[in-house]
Amino acid sequence: MTPPSRWRLSSFQEDFPVVDESHLLGVLSRAQLLRALADGSADARVRELMMRDVAVADVNEPIVQAMQRLDRSEPSAMPVLERGVLVGLLTPRRIGEIVMTRA
C-alpha cells in the first residue's frame, strides 16, 4: 500500500491548515487532497490545491457567531487566529463535543 493510501485510511482529520511560521496561508481539504491523488496529480504543490480565501475565527469571538459562519463556509473547518497567528482549528465535531460536555 502506498503511503498516501495508508494515510487516507488512518486519518480522521478532514481539513489541514497551511501555515508559514504560524501565519495562515490557506486550508487544504481532505477532499481536495484525495481528488488530486485520484486524478494522478500527486506531484501538485499544496499551494496549488489549497483554498486561500477561508473564513477564520478570532480567539475572542463568541462561539455562536463562529458556529454560524462555520455552517456557511467551505472547508468544514475554521482556522482560529490570535493576532493573525494560527492557534487552533474549529470543526463541527469539536463543537459537538463542547456542547455535549456542557449539557
Side-chain angles (χ1 to χ4, degrees):
M1 187 178 296
T2 65
S5 298
R6 276 197 309 273
W7 170 85
R8 183 179 65 215
L9 297 174
S10 65
S11 176
F12 294 104
Q13 188 166 341
E14 293 292 323
D15 299 293
F16 305 88
V18 180
V19 297
D20 181 18
E21 296 184 15
S22 299
H23 294 280
L24 183 70
L25 300 177
V27 175
L28 178 64
S29 73
R30 182 183 184 116
Q32 290 168 303
L33 180 58
L34 294 177
R35 192 169 28 254
L37 292 173
D39 292 346
S41 302
D43 292 345
R45 305 276 185 226
V46 170
R47 70 176 160 261
E48 297 167 358
L49 302 173
M50 71 181 185
M51 290 175 269
R52 296 174 191 275
D53 187 25
V54 296
V56 298
D58 184 82
V59 292
N60 296 309
E61 181 177 353
I63 190 71
V64 172
Q65 186 177 342
M67 285 171 43
Q68 290 169 343
R69 289 200 345 276
L70 180 60
D71 284 342
R72 297 185 307 264
S73 71
E74 182 67 31
S76 62
M78 183 180 287
V80 179
L81 307 179
E82 183 173 23
R83 292 186 295 262
V85 175
L86 180 70
V87 294
L89 193 62
L90 188 60
T91 65
R93 180 179 177 184
R94 183 67 184 127
I95 291 171
E97 290 170 355
I98 292 169
V99 170
M100 293 299 291
T101 59
R102 296 192 180 184

XYZ file of all heavy atoms in Angstrom:
800
model
N 0.851 -1.173 0.000
C 0.000 0.000 0.000
C 0.898 1.238 0.000
O 1.852 1.319 0.748
C -0.880 -0.022 1.251
C -1.918 1.065 1.281
S -2.985 0.987 2.743
C -3.821 -0.550 2.516
N 0.575 2.205 -0.833
C 1.393 3.413 -0.927
C 1.186 4.278 0.301
O 0.137 4.205 0.949
C 1.019 4.225 -2.177
O -0.320 4.683 -2.020
C 1.169 3.417 -3.450
N 2.161 5.125 0.655
C 1.993 5.991 1.825
C 0.721 6.846 1.789
O 0.017 6.911 2.788
C 3.259 6.851 1.814
C 4.277 5.988 1.142
C 3.495 5.207 0.098
N 0.335 7.490 0.647
C -0.917 8.249 0.662
C -2.136 7.374 0.939
O -3.070 7.796 1.598
C -0.993 8.864 -0.734
C 0.421 8.922 -1.198
C 1.073 7.701 -0.591
N -2.122 6.136 0.464
C -3.244 5.236 0.717
C -3.323 4.889 2.197
O -4.401 4.849 2.771
C -3.100 3.953 -0.098
O -3.116 4.243 -1.471
N -2.185 4.635 2.816
C -2.173 4.345 4.250
C -2.678 5.549 5.020
O -3.456 5.423 5.955
C -0.767 3.982 4.719
C -0.420 2.553 4.495
C 0.772 2.137 5.322
N 1.905 3.017 5.188
C 2.842 2.925 4.266
N 2.777 1.980 3.358
N 3.855 3.774 4.236
N -2.224 6.756 4.623
C -2.661 7.965 5.307
C -4.168 8.133 5.175
O -4.857 8.438 6.126
C -1.955 9.191 4.708
C -2.531 10.447 5.208
C -2.208 11.076 6.352
C -3.583 11.202 4.603
N -2.994 12.185 6.505
C -3.833 12.282 5.447
C -4.321 11.056 3.446
C -4.805 13.224 5.160
C -5.284 11.999 3.156
C -5.512 13.058 4.005
N -4.692 7.913 3.987
C -6.115 8.092 3.729
C -6.936 7.198 4.647
O -7.995 7.582 5.120
C -6.416 7.793 2.268
C -7.861 8.025 1.906
C -8.121 7.753 0.453
N -7.897 6.351 0.167
C -7.396 5.883 -0.956
N -7.048 6.680 -1.926
N -7.221 4.602 -1.134
N -6.453 6.011 4.908
C -7.195 5.075 5.731
C -7.023 5.340 7.217
O -7.887 4.997 8.002
C -6.748 3.643 5.410
C -7.030 3.173 3.982
C -6.400 1.809 3.759
C -8.521 3.136 3.716
N -5.940 5.958 7.610
C -5.661 6.090 9.033
C -6.006 7.445 9.627
O -6.037 7.589 10.834
C -4.179 5.811 9.295
O -3.389 6.805 8.671
N -6.280 8.452 8.818
C -6.512 9.796 9.333
C -7.994 10.134 9.385
O -8.745 9.822 8.478
C -5.789 10.817 8.454
O -6.086 12.118 8.893
N -8.407 10.795 10.472
C -9.780 11.250 10.613
C -9.892 12.751 10.356
O -10.977 13.281 10.292
C -10.322 10.926 12.003
C -10.455 9.457 12.233
C -9.552 8.784 13.022
C -11.488 8.735 11.650
C -9.669 7.428 13.228
C -11.613 7.374 11.852
C -10.699 6.722 12.644
N -8.787 13.420 10.229
C -8.816 14.858 10.007
C -9.316 15.143 8.599
O -8.935 14.483 7.640
C -7.423 15.455 10.213
C -7.433 16.963 10.194
C -6.138 17.546 10.719
O -5.372 16.872 11.404
N -5.907 18.800 10.418
N -10.179 16.147 8.474
C -10.791 16.484 7.189
C -10.122 17.674 6.514
O -10.110 17.762 5.297
C -12.276 16.789 7.381
C -13.093 15.583 7.797
C -13.199 14.531 6.712
O -13.296 14.889 5.538
O -13.187 13.341 7.061
N -9.643 18.621 7.281
C -9.081 19.848 6.731
C -7.740 20.138 7.402
O -7.580 19.910 8.597
C -10.043 21.017 6.945
C -11.373 20.778 6.255
O -11.376 20.752 5.017
O -12.389 20.630 6.956
N -6.811 20.671 6.600
C -5.450 20.857 7.069
C -5.025 22.312 6.872
O -4.892 22.766 5.729
C -4.504 19.933 6.301
C -4.922 18.493 6.385
C -5.817 17.956 5.464
C -4.450 17.686 7.404
C -6.225 16.633 5.544
C -4.847 16.357 7.496
C -5.744 15.832 6.561
N -4.815 23.042 7.954
C -4.339 24.417 7.804
C -2.937 24.419 7.192
O -2.109 23.571 7.510
C -4.283 24.950 9.237
C -4.989 23.956 10.077
C -4.996 22.664 9.341
N -2.701 25.359 6.307
C -1.388 25.526 5.689
C -0.814 26.810 6.264
O -1.423 27.879 6.156
C -1.499 25.621 4.151
C -0.123 25.786 3.526
C -2.213 24.391 3.596
N 0.335 26.693 6.919
C 0.916 27.835 7.612
C 2.358 28.075 7.187
O 3.041 27.169 6.717
C 0.862 27.664 9.147
C -0.560 27.597 9.648
C 1.622 26.425 9.582
N 2.774 29.303 7.381
C 4.166 29.687 7.199
C 4.542 30.455 8.452
O 4.032 31.560 8.684
C 4.331 30.558 5.951
C 5.777 30.959 5.705
O 6.691 30.318 6.268
O 5.999 31.922 4.952
N 5.368 29.843 9.287
C 5.761 30.443 10.562
C 4.543 30.855 11.385
O 4.452 31.983 11.877
C 6.703 31.618 10.337
C 8.009 31.197 9.700
C 8.996 32.336 9.554
O 8.800 33.388 10.182
O 9.962 32.158 8.804
N 3.584 29.975 11.511
C 2.355 30.142 12.294
C 1.326 31.066 11.661
O 0.260 31.261 12.204
C 2.649 30.618 13.722
O 3.450 29.677 14.385
N 1.614 31.668 10.512
C 0.659 32.533 9.836
C -0.092 31.725 8.784
O 0.517 31.055 7.952
C 1.355 33.746 9.216
C 1.927 34.658 10.255
N 1.149 35.565 10.942
C 3.165 34.782 10.752
C 1.903 36.216 11.811
N 3.137 35.748 11.719
N -1.402 31.814 8.825
C -2.253 31.040 7.943
C -2.121 31.482 6.491
O -2.240 32.667 6.183
C -3.712 31.193 8.389
C -4.734 30.389 7.603
C -4.576 28.901 7.901
C -6.136 30.858 7.943
N -1.870 30.523 5.617
C -1.827 30.779 4.175
C -3.097 30.291 3.487
O -3.508 30.836 2.470
C -0.624 30.089 3.538
C 0.751 30.485 4.053
C 1.829 29.664 3.371
C 0.986 31.972 3.865
N -3.701 29.242 4.040
C -4.901 28.663 3.458
C -5.232 27.355 4.144
O -4.656 27.018 5.175
N -6.164 26.626 3.554
C -6.577 25.336 4.088
C -6.666 24.343 2.930
O -7.214 24.652 1.875
C -7.951 25.434 4.797
C -8.440 24.061 5.236
C -7.866 26.373 5.998
N -6.119 23.168 3.138
C -6.211 22.068 2.183
C -7.224 21.080 2.728
O -7.061 20.571 3.840
C -4.854 21.392 2.010
C -4.806 20.192 1.078
C -5.130 20.601 -0.352
C -3.443 19.522 1.134
N -8.268 20.830 1.968
C -9.284 19.885 2.446
C -8.890 18.460 2.069
O -8.163 18.227 1.103
C -10.658 20.223 1.856
O -10.714 19.868 0.498
N -9.392 17.534 2.833
C -9.158 16.111 2.556
C -9.697 15.768 1.166
O -9.068 15.027 0.415
C -9.851 15.285 3.628
C -9.660 13.799 3.500
C -10.469 13.074 4.576
N -10.231 11.668 4.549
C -9.679 10.983 5.528
N -9.308 11.587 6.632
N -9.502 9.684 5.427
N -10.863 16.347 0.817
C -11.458 16.087 -0.493
C -10.538 16.565 -1.614
O -10.358 15.869 -2.618
C -12.822 16.768 -0.598
N -9.947 17.747 -1.457
C -9.020 18.255 -2.473
C -7.804 17.344 -2.595
O -7.337 17.062 -3.696
C -8.547 19.663 -2.113
C -9.602 20.723 -2.238
C -9.144 22.016 -1.599
O -8.805 22.056 -0.431
N -9.126 23.076 -2.394
N -7.298 16.915 -1.462
C -6.128 16.050 -1.444
C -6.426 14.710 -2.119
O -5.676 14.263 -2.990
C -5.658 15.834 -0.009
C -4.450 14.954 0.195
C -3.242 15.487 -0.563
C -4.138 14.828 1.679
N -7.536 14.094 -1.757
C -7.892 12.800 -2.340
C -8.199 12.926 -3.829
O -7.849 12.050 -4.616
C -9.075 12.181 -1.595
C -8.788 11.783 -0.145
C -10.051 11.251 0.522
C -7.654 10.783 -0.058
N -8.836 14.026 -4.226
C -9.124 14.262 -5.649
C -7.822 14.376 -6.438
O -7.679 13.809 -7.515
C -9.971 15.527 -5.804
C -10.565 15.709 -7.167
C -11.616 16.822 -7.255
N -11.487 17.925 -6.332
C -12.273 18.121 -5.263
N -13.252 17.285 -4.985
N -12.080 19.160 -4.466
N -6.845 15.094 -5.886
C -5.554 15.233 -6.560
C -4.861 13.877 -6.690
O -4.292 13.559 -7.739
C -4.667 16.213 -5.802
N -4.929 13.064 -5.653
C -4.315 11.733 -5.712
C -5.030 10.853 -6.742
O -4.390 10.142 -7.506
C -4.344 11.072 -4.336
C -3.452 11.715 -3.276
C -3.714 11.074 -1.911
C -1.991 11.618 -3.655
N -6.349 10.926 -6.774
C -7.129 10.116 -7.711
C -6.916 10.553 -9.156
O -6.937 9.740 -10.070
C -8.608 10.189 -7.356
N -6.720 11.856 -9.362
C -6.514 12.400 -10.711
C -5.085 12.207 -11.213
O -4.755 12.652 -12.308
C -6.833 13.900 -10.748
C -8.302 14.189 -10.561
O -9.115 13.250 -10.668
O -8.634 15.358 -10.302
N -4.250 11.604 -10.393
C -2.860 11.435 -10.784
C -2.037 12.698 -10.609
O -0.984 12.851 -11.217
N -2.537 13.604 -9.772
C -1.838 14.869 -9.538
C -1.051 14.845 -8.230
O -0.956 15.850 -7.536
C -2.847 16.028 -9.500
O -3.565 16.091 -10.693
N -0.503 13.711 -7.899
C 0.227 13.589 -6.637
C 1.428 14.524 -6.574
O 1.921 14.826 -5.493
C 0.678 12.144 -6.427
N 1.894 15.014 -7.725
C 3.025 15.940 -7.747
C 2.600 17.388 -7.555
O 3.450 18.276 -7.471
C 3.777 15.823 -9.078
C 4.479 14.491 -9.221
O 4.626 13.779 -8.200
O 4.866 14.142 -10.346
N 1.296 17.658 -7.503
C 0.813 19.036 -7.343
C 1.315 19.608 -6.021
O 1.456 18.894 -5.024
C -0.710 19.068 -7.377
N 1.590 20.871 -6.014
C 2.039 21.575 -4.805
C 0.830 21.912 -3.936
O -0.258 22.171 -4.445
C 2.752 22.871 -5.177
C 3.895 22.674 -6.133
C 5.132 22.296 -5.373
N 6.254 22.233 -6.294
C 7.115 21.259 -6.306
N 6.987 20.269 -5.466
N 8.113 21.253 -7.152
N 1.039 21.918 -2.640
C -0.031 22.260 -1.712
C -0.618 23.618 -2.076
O -1.832 23.800 -2.104
C 0.485 22.249 -0.257
C -0.541 22.836 0.692
C 0.865 20.835 0.164
N 0.223 24.596 -2.384
C -0.265 25.941 -2.703
C -1.170 25.960 -3.927
O -1.975 26.859 -4.085
C 0.898 26.915 -2.871
C 1.739 26.686 -4.095
C 2.821 27.772 -4.240
N 3.876 27.294 -5.107
C 5.025 26.795 -4.700
N 5.288 26.714 -3.421
N 5.919 26.380 -5.564
N -1.045 24.946 -4.812
C -1.904 24.864 -5.989
C -3.277 24.300 -5.643
O -4.249 24.561 -6.353
C -1.250 23.982 -7.059
C 0.062 24.527 -7.588
C 0.846 23.507 -8.400
O 0.394 22.345 -8.537
O 1.926 23.862 -8.878
N -3.366 23.535 -4.587
C -4.602 22.852 -4.218
C -5.377 23.550 -3.098
O -6.599 23.439 -3.033
C -4.297 21.418 -3.782
C -3.596 20.525 -4.790
C -3.230 19.199 -4.132
C -4.454 20.315 -6.019
N -4.688 24.255 -2.225
C -5.328 24.803 -1.030
C -6.283 25.950 -1.360
O -6.157 26.617 -2.377
C -4.277 25.295 -0.038
C -3.565 26.542 -0.461
S -2.332 27.025 0.770
C -1.799 28.578 0.070
N -7.243 26.133 -0.475
C -8.151 27.278 -0.544
C -7.486 28.423 0.203
O -7.037 28.249 1.337
C -9.478 26.936 0.124
C -10.296 25.930 -0.636
S -11.783 25.466 0.276
C -11.148 24.054 1.184
N -7.415 29.562 -0.423
C -6.740 30.708 0.187
C -7.699 31.637 0.924
O -7.355 32.207 1.936
C -5.986 31.500 -0.868
C -4.857 30.716 -1.504
C -4.233 31.493 -2.652
N -3.335 30.665 -3.415
C -2.057 30.459 -3.111
N -1.537 31.028 -2.055
N -1.307 29.688 -3.852
N -8.882 31.804 0.403
C -9.849 32.727 0.980
C -10.816 31.948 1.856
O -11.885 31.529 1.404
C -10.588 33.467 -0.141
C -11.477 34.565 0.392
O -11.204 35.077 1.495
O -12.451 34.906 -0.288
N -10.434 31.702 3.107
C -11.253 30.904 4.017
C -11.703 31.754 5.198
O -11.018 32.698 5.606
C -10.488 29.656 4.534
C -10.165 28.704 3.401
C -9.232 30.036 5.272
N -12.871 31.420 5.719
C -13.372 32.103 6.910
C -12.490 31.729 8.098
O -12.046 30.587 8.213
C -14.818 31.706 7.170
N -12.240 32.689 8.958
C -11.453 32.445 10.167
C -12.211 32.977 11.378
O -13.072 33.842 11.255
C -10.047 33.101 10.094
C -9.235 32.519 8.958
C -10.142 34.600 9.978
N -11.873 32.450 12.520
C -12.435 32.923 13.781
C -11.310 33.534 14.606
O -10.159 33.102 14.511
C -13.067 31.765 14.549
N -11.655 34.525 15.393
C -10.712 35.119 16.330
C -10.910 34.441 17.685
O -12.038 34.048 18.024
C -10.970 36.627 16.463
C -9.939 37.284 17.362
O -8.838 37.592 16.856
O -10.217 37.463 18.569
N -9.864 34.310 18.457
C -9.969 33.632 19.756
C -10.970 34.316 20.682
O -11.527 33.671 21.570
C -8.603 33.514 20.473
C -7.692 32.572 19.748
C -7.965 34.850 20.689
N -11.218 35.586 20.487
C -12.146 36.323 21.350
C -13.563 36.411 20.787
O -14.427 37.041 21.382
C -11.602 37.733 21.592
C -10.298 37.688 22.358
O -10.192 37.050 23.392
N -9.288 38.336 21.821
N -13.806 35.778 19.659
C -15.116 35.803 19.022
C -16.084 34.881 19.756
O -15.703 33.776 20.157
C -14.953 35.336 17.572
C -16.205 35.320 16.765
C -15.949 34.925 15.318
O -14.784 34.784 14.906
O -16.934 34.751 14.603
N -17.332 35.304 19.924
C -18.321 34.404 20.540
C -18.468 33.123 19.713
O -18.549 33.171 18.489
C -19.615 35.227 20.515
C -19.163 36.651 20.442
C -17.890 36.626 19.640
N -18.543 31.987 20.392
C -18.591 30.691 19.718
C -19.819 30.577 18.822
O -19.751 29.994 17.736
C -18.508 29.515 20.726
C -18.305 28.182 20.004
C -19.727 29.455 21.603
C -16.956 28.020 19.402
N -20.946 31.152 19.243
C -22.171 31.082 18.436
C -21.960 31.784 17.093
O -22.373 31.289 16.044
C -23.364 31.691 19.202
C -24.586 31.811 18.306
C -23.684 30.859 20.430
N -21.312 32.915 17.124
C -21.027 33.663 15.893
C -20.114 32.850 14.972
O -20.352 32.757 13.767
C -20.373 34.991 16.254
C -20.165 35.922 15.104
C -19.578 37.251 15.581
O -19.634 37.600 16.765
N -18.988 37.984 14.674
N -19.077 32.251 15.532
C -18.162 31.434 14.739
C -18.885 30.218 14.165
O -18.678 29.840 13.008
C -16.977 30.997 15.579
N -19.763 29.595 14.956
C -20.510 28.424 14.502
C -21.404 28.770 13.314
O -21.515 27.991 12.363
C -21.374 27.863 15.636
C -20.594 27.113 16.688
S -21.579 26.663 18.155
C -23.101 26.081 17.484
N -22.052 29.935 13.363
C -22.928 30.337 12.258
C -22.128 30.498 10.973
O -22.556 30.061 9.906
C -23.645 31.637 12.609
C -24.682 31.451 13.686
C -25.216 32.778 14.219
O -24.629 33.837 14.034
N -26.351 32.698 14.905
N -20.959 31.094 11.065
C -20.117 31.253 9.878
C -19.566 29.914 9.408
O -19.450 29.667 8.216
C -18.996 32.256 10.159
C -19.544 33.662 10.258
C -18.533 34.778 10.067
N -17.134 34.447 10.145
C -16.420 34.351 11.277
N -16.991 34.559 12.437
N -15.139 34.081 11.238
N -19.242 29.044 10.355
C -18.725 27.719 10.013
C -19.764 26.921 9.228
O -19.426 26.230 8.268
C -18.310 26.961 11.273
C -17.753 25.557 11.091
C -16.492 25.583 10.231
C -17.455 24.931 12.440
N -21.037 27.047 9.594
C -22.107 26.351 8.876
C -22.192 26.760 7.421
O -22.632 25.993 6.580
C -23.465 26.608 9.544
C -23.654 25.803 10.816
O -22.920 24.815 11.010
O -24.534 26.173 11.615
N -21.795 27.995 7.116
C -21.914 28.513 5.756
C -20.593 28.499 4.993
O -20.519 28.982 3.867
C -22.418 29.961 5.793
C -23.792 30.125 6.389
C -24.282 31.562 6.294
N -23.366 32.548 6.827
C -23.407 33.070 8.049
N -24.337 32.689 8.892
N -22.528 33.967 8.445
N -19.547 27.976 5.595
C -18.232 28.089 4.963
C -17.745 26.771 4.384
O -18.221 25.701 4.717
C -17.205 28.620 5.968
O -16.904 27.643 6.941
N -16.804 26.915 3.523
C -16.081 25.789 2.945
C -14.619 26.134 3.138
O -14.212 27.260 2.816
C -16.418 25.661 1.457
C -15.762 24.507 0.754
C -16.256 23.152 1.228
O -17.407 23.011 1.638
O -15.444 22.226 1.204
N -13.817 25.340 3.711
C -13.991 23.940 4.105
C -14.822 23.798 5.374
O -15.322 24.789 5.912
C -12.562 23.478 4.333
C -11.848 24.690 4.790
C -12.496 25.834 4.047
N -14.913 22.577 5.868
C -15.752 22.306 7.033
C -15.034 22.573 8.351
O -15.537 22.209 9.398
C -16.240 20.858 6.990
O -15.123 19.985 7.035
N -13.895 23.206 8.287
C -13.161 23.583 9.498
C -12.791 25.055 9.381
O -12.585 25.566 8.287
C -11.906 22.737 9.657
N -12.716 25.712 10.529
C -12.409 27.133 10.542
C -11.147 27.369 11.372
O -11.116 27.055 12.561
C -13.579 27.909 11.141
C -13.380 29.405 11.142
S -14.798 30.272 11.854
C -15.984 30.065 10.543
N -10.107 27.900 10.744
C -8.907 28.233 11.497
C -9.228 29.291 12.558
O -10.025 30.203 12.322
C -7.959 28.798 10.437
C -8.460 28.241 9.142
C -9.949 28.160 9.309
N -8.607 29.152 13.709
C -8.769 30.120 14.796
C -7.449 30.873 14.937
O -6.387 30.252 15.065
C -9.141 29.423 16.115
C -9.285 30.434 17.238
C -10.428 28.608 15.948
N -7.549 32.203 14.896
C -6.357 33.054 14.942
C -6.338 33.921 16.184
O -7.388 34.316 16.702
C -6.314 33.971 13.710
C -6.425 33.324 12.334
C -6.377 34.389 11.257
C -5.344 32.288 12.126
N -5.132 34.196 16.636
C -4.911 35.176 17.699
C -3.834 36.126 17.201
O -2.699 35.707 16.957
C -4.471 34.494 18.996
C -4.302 35.475 20.136
C -4.038 34.782 21.467
O -3.559 33.624 21.475
O -4.312 35.417 22.492
N -4.220 37.366 16.986
C -3.325 38.384 16.428
C -2.672 37.903 15.124
O -1.488 38.077 14.896
C -2.275 38.798 17.448
C -2.862 39.561 18.630
C -1.794 40.086 19.554
N -1.049 39.033 20.190
C -1.274 38.577 21.414
N -2.224 39.082 22.144
N -0.538 37.614 21.909
N -3.485 37.248 14.279
C -3.019 36.804 12.973
C -2.251 35.497 12.963
O -1.832 35.030 11.914
N -2.074 34.876 14.118
C -1.318 33.627 14.232
C -2.284 32.467 14.476
O -3.178 32.560 15.322
C -0.282 33.716 15.380
C 0.423 32.388 15.590
C 0.717 34.819 15.101
N -2.104 31.383 13.733
C -2.955 30.206 13.890
C -2.733 29.583 15.265
O -1.607 29.271 15.646
C -2.630 29.169 12.801
C -3.455 27.898 12.854
C -4.905 28.176 12.453
C -2.859 26.833 11.950
N -3.849 29.418 16.009
C -3.762 28.797 17.334
C -4.669 27.584 17.473
O -4.627 26.896 18.486
C -4.061 29.818 18.462
C -2.992 30.891 18.523
C -5.443 30.436 18.292
N -5.511 27.331 16.453
C -6.402 26.186 16.551
C -7.242 26.016 15.310
O -7.125 26.768 14.347
N -8.100 25.013 15.364
C -8.972 24.679 14.246
C -10.330 24.303 14.820
O -10.432 23.387 15.634
C -8.378 23.512 13.457
C -8.956 23.200 12.101
C -8.775 24.378 11.145
C -8.296 21.967 11.515
N -11.358 25.026 14.423
C -12.713 24.788 14.900
C -13.419 23.891 13.892
O -13.452 24.193 12.699
C -13.435 26.130 15.016
C -14.794 26.165 15.675
C -14.718 25.663 17.104
C -15.331 27.587 15.648
N -13.955 22.769 14.367
C -14.638 21.818 13.491
C -16.029 21.509 14.047
O -16.254 21.636 15.254
C -13.854 20.495 13.381
O -13.847 19.865 14.670
C -12.435 20.721 12.889
N -16.954 21.088 13.195
C -18.277 20.701 13.699
C -18.188 19.608 14.768
O -18.920 19.640 15.750
C -18.999 20.189 12.449
C -18.324 20.880 11.315
C -16.877 21.011 11.739
N -17.281 18.678 14.580
C -17.121 17.598 15.569
C -16.694 18.156 16.926
O -17.224 17.775 17.960
C -16.094 16.588 15.063
C -15.869 15.461 16.018
C -14.871 14.480 15.487
N -14.634 13.443 16.466
C -13.766 12.486 16.327
N -13.045 12.416 15.241
N -13.597 11.594 17.268
N -15.751 19.067 16.907
C -15.267 19.665 18.165
C -16.362 20.475 18.842
O -16.517 20.428 20.058
C -14.040 20.539 17.889
C -13.437 21.134 19.109
C -12.828 20.060 20.015
N -12.354 20.686 21.218
C -12.683 20.306 22.449
N -13.457 19.273 22.639
N -12.219 20.944 23.493
N -17.143 21.219 18.060
C -18.252 21.984 18.626
C -19.247 21.037 19.272
O -19.743 21.283 20.372
C -18.928 22.851 17.552
C -17.975 23.975 17.128
C -20.238 23.430 18.058
C -18.432 24.756 15.925
N -19.560 19.921 18.598
C -20.458 18.926 19.159
C -19.944 18.378 20.485
O -20.716 18.193 21.433
N -18.635 18.137 20.578
C -18.053 17.643 21.824
C -18.199 18.672 22.940
O -18.523 18.326 24.081
C -16.579 17.314 21.615
C -16.341 16.101 20.741
C -14.883 15.924 20.353
O -14.046 16.800 20.676
O -14.568 14.912 19.709
N -17.994 19.941 22.607
C -18.133 21.012 23.609
C -19.566 21.092 24.092
O -19.829 21.181 25.292
C -17.659 22.357 23.021
C -16.152 22.322 22.797
C -18.049 23.511 23.934
C -15.623 23.491 21.971
N -20.512 21.064 23.166
C -21.929 21.147 23.518
C -22.326 19.969 24.405
O -23.034 20.142 25.400
C -22.805 21.210 22.249
C -24.282 21.039 22.583
C -22.571 22.524 21.507
N -21.861 18.769 24.059
C -22.216 17.584 24.836
C -21.665 17.629 26.251
O -22.324 17.191 27.192
C -21.725 16.312 24.124
C -22.434 16.038 22.814
S -24.201 15.789 23.002
C -24.214 14.233 23.842
N -20.471 18.156 26.427
C -19.883 18.193 27.777
C -20.531 19.262 28.640
O -20.474 19.186 29.857
C -18.365 18.444 27.718
O -18.101 19.680 27.061
C -17.653 17.308 27.007
N -21.155 20.240 28.019
C -21.796 21.313 28.791
C -23.277 21.074 29.004
O -23.927 21.835 29.706
C -21.582 22.645 28.101
C -20.102 22.972 28.086
C -19.847 24.343 27.694
N -18.386 24.549 27.705
C -17.820 25.678 27.486
N -18.535 26.729 27.230
N -16.520 25.778 27.513
N -23.819 20.032 28.394
C -25.265 19.759 28.534
C -25.568 19.022 29.809
O -24.794 18.411 30.432
C -25.734 18.943 27.326
